[in-house]
Amino acid sequence: MTLVSERRATYRRETRETTVEVTWALDGSGQAQVATGIGMLDHLVEQIARHGVFDITVAATGDHQVDAHHTPEDGGIARGRALAEAVGDGKGIVRMGDALVPLDEALAQVAVDLSGRGYVTVSVTWSGERVGELPCDLVEHFLQTLAQEGRFNLHACVLAGGNDHHKAEALFKALGRALDAATRLDP
């Protein structure tokens, strides 16, 4: 079920493994209320809201006792669909945006095109297997799912860094900035 109003959408996804409800307001103030049960995922999504100046709410429950996979995947689907609905037909927006964002020793670059076509490349080398309690491969999977379901091109890479937390956070801050630039109204 999707509810859409001016540059804002709410999307609810319910499967056997998860229940996720997302609201995404493009013309927000950078506020986030995110509760997925995975602290690092909450932290990363909050970076999209804060640095994209979006208002994002997420309430998710999932089968964490089985695996951490379903919540990031279904959350990416729900957030992507909410974003696509909020953008609508894209008429009047800048459409493309990019950002280069440092976080201590890490440096991430993200470019997006809200073209209506989902395509993703993510280039990052992780030092370990997890960022907090989130498996590193699920950081990339979340980004892939978000862009495919949000129907936008996403090119994301970490150019430098040693700390996996810093790499992931720089990617999500850069994503927020790039999406902010792309969703702005084009005078």
Side-chain angles (χ1 to χ4, degrees):
M1 174 171 82
T2 304
L3 300 172
V4 181
S5 62
E6 295 181 37
R7 294 177 40 94
R8 171 190 197 90
T10 297
Y11 186 86
R12 181 178 171 86
R13 177 178 174 80
E14 195 165 342
T15 68
R16 289 185 326 178
E17 294 87 13
T18 64
T19 300
V20 182
E21 185 160 341
V22 175
T23 299
W24 194 314
L26 298 179
D27 302 312
S29 60
Q31 300 301 306
Q33 293 179 319
V34 183
T36 67
I38 302 173
M40 179 53 69
L41 183 58
D42 296 353
H43 177 62
L44 294 174
V45 172
E46 288 166 356
Q47 301 313 306
I48 297 172
R50 181 174 300 121
H51 294 278
V53 197
F54 303 120
D55 290 343
I56 299 175
T57 62
V58 180
T61 57
D63 59 353
H64 301 282
Q65 75 284 2
V66 173
D67 189 86
H69 180 87
H70 294 126
T71 299
E73 179 177 61
D74 288 347
I77 291 169
R79 287 189 246 329
R81 290 180 182 173
L83 174 61
E85 290 289 334
V87 169
D89 65 10
K91 286 187 168 95
I93 63 169
V94 173
R95 196 183 114 173
M96 290 171 269
D98 64 276
L100 184 65
V101 173
L103 177 59
D104 295 343
E105 85 296 347
L107 182 63
Q109 185 172 32
V110 171
V112 298
D113 179 0
L114 303 180
S115 63
R117 297 180 308 279
Y119 185 84
V120 183
T121 65
V122 178
S123 178
V124 57
T125 301
W126 303 106
S127 302
E129 293 182 16
R130 295 182 174 274
V131 180
E133 71 276 22
L134 183 63
C136 290
D137 67 316
L138 292 181
V139 172
E140 295 175 58
H141 187 53
F142 174 85
L143 292 171
Q144 291 165 345
T145 306
L146 174 72
Q148 288 168 345
E149 295 296 327
R151 298 188 310 264
F152 65 93
N153 277 225
L154 168 64
H155 290 264
C157 63
V158 173
L159 303 170
N163 180 291
D164 286 341
H165 181 131
H166 294 169
K167 292 179 205 176
E169 190 170 338
L171 273 174
F172 278 70
K173 287 179 177 182
L175 176 58
R177 295 262 176 175
L179 285 171
D180 178 43
T183 58
R184 288 186 183 156
L185 297 174
D186 191 346

